[in-house]
């Protein structure tokens, strides 16, 4: 039994392996163990029991020998652990593929694909050609994260059947499932304004970034002039969140609330504030993503959660339908984020506004 073998390889129980593989949002004892389980599943080419699943679902499911092989390109990061959001979304994609008895053959991590500033200096044709040569048997490609339009066109020409999962639209170059980053930002800013905040900052990428545009548009819609000093352009990492929070804390005119482009930036900022309580500065912090660590943070992070499981399931179904010639026209599906109120935001009028950090 493959699950038993994975349990032996990772030194954990069969039940834990089963829960991890069947629920990408399962709160494992550690993220490292969850990663080990998925890595082991890839190494042994784990596929659920096709016959049992076929009887249960009343469908004919391909055997292992007829597996459709799919690749995934993660465009926002160069290494796996930089942003947990993409790791969790990849788990959701793998689960959706397993349910269809398909195999995730290869995962590439390359932030050059999302680098609009420097894309003209990158030999994207060669990069994509090498990807294709590395995995010639791949029948479809899942592009996860923002992708430059020109780079997407090259991917489409080389790989053919592609689905994109992103916060940014590909402008109908390929099939896509999106959770519009602009709308995520709008939900976050609307919530902060509803709490009475007007001095609202933004931390995250700015250049050609829909979440930044959503921040600006929503501030103006509330007749609030965005302050240039409240905008911090940074990489989407915990380290940059920590560093930026230190810079913000040292200026005289500071925002009372901050929207961060993703959860991991916000967690870095919260870590800085908890380590520097004596500064007396603790703004409301809200973000967008909904990673597992955000649910465990102290204070618990308020975030606009992206429906990763649903997006992954729809993307896989849409990709397989295209591979099987079920549709020809480019299709776009949009899902909405869900505001999950934690403890990192409070009204501007709260007397004990600093208390939540203690």
């Amino acid at each position: 039994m493959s699950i038993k073998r994975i349990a032996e390889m990772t030194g954990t129980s069969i039940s834990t392996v089963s829960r991890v593989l069947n629920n990408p949002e399962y709160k494992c004892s550690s993220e490292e163990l969850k990663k080990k389980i998925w890595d082991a599943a890839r190494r042994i080419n784990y596929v659920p029991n096709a016959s049992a699943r076929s009887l249960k679902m009343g469908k004919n499911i391909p055997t292992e020998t007829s597996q459709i092989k799919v690749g995934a390109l993660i465009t926002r990061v160069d290494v796996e652990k930089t942003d947990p959001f993409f790791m969790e979304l990849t788990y959701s994609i793998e689960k959706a593929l397993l349910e269809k008895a398909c195999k995730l053959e290869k995962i590439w991590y390359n932030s050059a694909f999302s680098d609009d500033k420097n894309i003209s200096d990158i030999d994207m044709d060669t990069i994509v050609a090498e990807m294709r040569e590395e995995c010639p048997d791949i029948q479809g490609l899942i592009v996860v994260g923002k992708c430059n339009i020109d780079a997407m066109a090259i991917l489409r020409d080389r790989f053919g059947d592609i689905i994109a999962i992103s916060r940014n639209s590909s402008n109908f170059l390929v099939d896509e499932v999106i959770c519009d980053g602009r709308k995520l930002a709008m939900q976050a800013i609307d919530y902060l304004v509803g709490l009475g905040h007007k001095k609202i900052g933004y931390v995250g990428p700015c250049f050609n970034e829909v979440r930044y545009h959503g921040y600006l548009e929503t501030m103006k819609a509330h007749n609030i002039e965005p302050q240039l000093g409240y905008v911090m352009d940074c990489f989407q990492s915990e380290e940059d969140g920590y560093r930026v929070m230190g810079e913000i804390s040292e200026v005289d005119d500071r925002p009372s609330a901050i929207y961060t482009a993703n959860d991991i930036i916000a967690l870095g900022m919260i870590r800085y504030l908890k380590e520097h309580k004596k500064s007396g500065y603790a703004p409301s912090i809200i973000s967008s993503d909904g990673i597992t660590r955000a649910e465990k943070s102290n204070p618990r992070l308020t975030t606009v959660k992206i429906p990763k499981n649903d997006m992954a399931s729809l993307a896989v179904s849409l990709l397989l339908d295209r591979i099987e010639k079920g549709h020809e026209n480019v299709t776009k599906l949009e899902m909405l984020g869900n505001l999950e109120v934690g403890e990192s935001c409070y009204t501007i009028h709260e007397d004990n506004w600093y208390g939540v950090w203690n």
Side-chain angles (χ1 to χ4, degrees), residues 244-260:
V244 167
M245 191 71 255
E247 294 175 7
I248 294 173
S249 297
E250 293 180 2
V251 300
D252 293 330
D253 184 18
R254 301 175 292 199
S256 65
I258 300 171
Y259 166 61
T260 70

Side-chain angles (χ1 to χ4, degrees), residues 48 71 137 229 246 300 358:
D137 296 334
R300 186 163 55 88
N358 295 315

Side-chain angles (χ1 to χ4, degrees), residues 143 147-157 162 164 170 173-174:
V143 179
C147 188
N148 175 268
I149 298 300
D150 294 333
M152 183 68 82
I154 296 171
L155 287 167
R156 180 194 57 192
D157 293 342
I162 293 182
S170 67
L173 276 178
V174 299

Side-chain angles (χ1 to χ4, degrees), residues 121-132:
D121 299 325
I122 301 169
D123 187 359
M124 199 56 65
D125 286 291
T126 298
I127 292 174
V128 176
E130 290 174 351
M131 290 170 58
R132 198 64 175 117

Side-chain angles (χ1 to χ4, degrees), residues 66-108:
S66 63
Q67 269 186 294
I68 291 176
K69 297 178 180 179
V70 174
L73 169 63
I74 316 300
T75 64
R76 281 286 195 175
V77 295
D78 290 317
V79 292
E80 187 173 9
K81 292 186 176 181
T82 306
D83 188 341
F85 172 78
F86 293 109
M87 185 183 295
E88 292 179 13
L89 182 53
T90 302
Y91 294 154
S92 295
I93 291 169
E94 290 199 74
K95 176 180 181 292
L97 287 168
L98 287 175
E99 290 176 344
K100 302 290 186 180
C102 298
K103 180 185 178 184
L104 184 56
E105 181 78 0
K106 174 71 177 180
I107 304 175
W108 291 278

Side-chain angles (χ1 to χ4, degrees), residues 143-335:
V143 179
V144 181
K146 177 183 175 182
C147 188
N148 175 268
I149 298 300
D150 294 333
M152 183 68 82
I154 296 171
L155 287 167
R156 180 194 57 192
D157 293 342
R158 286 280 187 175
F159 284 89
D161 296 326
I162 293 182
I163 182 77
I165 305 178
S166 182
R167 308 180 190 94
N168 303 61
S169 175
S170 67
N171 292 330
F172 293 97
L173 276 178
V174 299
D175 291 339
E176 59 187 355
V177 178
I178 72 166
C179 187
D180 191 339
R182 175 177 163 274
K183 293 178 181 177
L184 296 173
M186 292 173 68
Q187 285 178 267
I189 302 305
D190 281 340
Y191 180 70
L192 292 176
V193 172
L195 294 177
H197 295 280
K198 293 184 178 180
K199 299 172 67 174
I200 302 172
Y202 169 88
V203 176
C206 295
F207 184 80
N208 202 20
E209 175 52 58
V210 293
R211 286 166 291 180
Y212 177 52
H213 294 160
Y215 159 78
L216 294 176
E217 291 172 21
T218 313
M219 293 283 282
K220 291 178 181 178
H222 287 287
N223 295 315
I224 303 173
E225 187 65 31
Q227 299 295 314
L228 183 61
Y230 294 168
V231 174
M232 305 293 285
D233 188 356
C234 76
F235 185 69
Q236 298 180 97
S237 70
E238 183 172 355
E239 291 71 22
D240 266 35
Y242 185 94
R243 174 184 59 78
V244 167
M245 191 71 255
E247 294 175 7
I248 294 173
S249 297
E250 293 180 2
V251 300
D252 293 330
D253 184 18
R254 301 175 292 199
S256 65
I258 300 171
Y259 166 61
T260 70
N262 69 354
D263 286 354
I264 199 65
I265 294 175
L267 294 180
M269 298 176 75
I270 287 175
R271 179 162 62 89
Y272 180 91
L273 292 169
K274 290 176 70 68
E275 292 178 6
H276 298 80
K277 293 179 183 179
K278 294 181 180 180
S279 69
Y281 175 60
S284 286
I285 296 177
I286 188 171
S287 61
S288 53
D289 265 357
I291 63 174
T292 302
R293 277 187 59 193
E295 300 174 10
K296 301 177 180 179
S297 65
N298 181 25
R300 186 163 55 88
L301 182 63
T302 296
T303 186
V304 185
K305 186 173 183 177
I306 295 173
K308 297 185 290 292
N309 285 342
D310 289 343
M311 291 179 74
S313 180
L314 286 170
V316 167
S317 295
L318 197 57
L319 177 61
L320 295 181
D321 189 67
R322 177 168 286 280
I323 291 172
E324 295 164 359
K325 310 303 180 186
H327 72 283
E328 294 182 358
N329 291 336
V330 175
T331 301
K332 175 180 176 180
L333 301 176
E334 181 178 346
M335 306 197 74

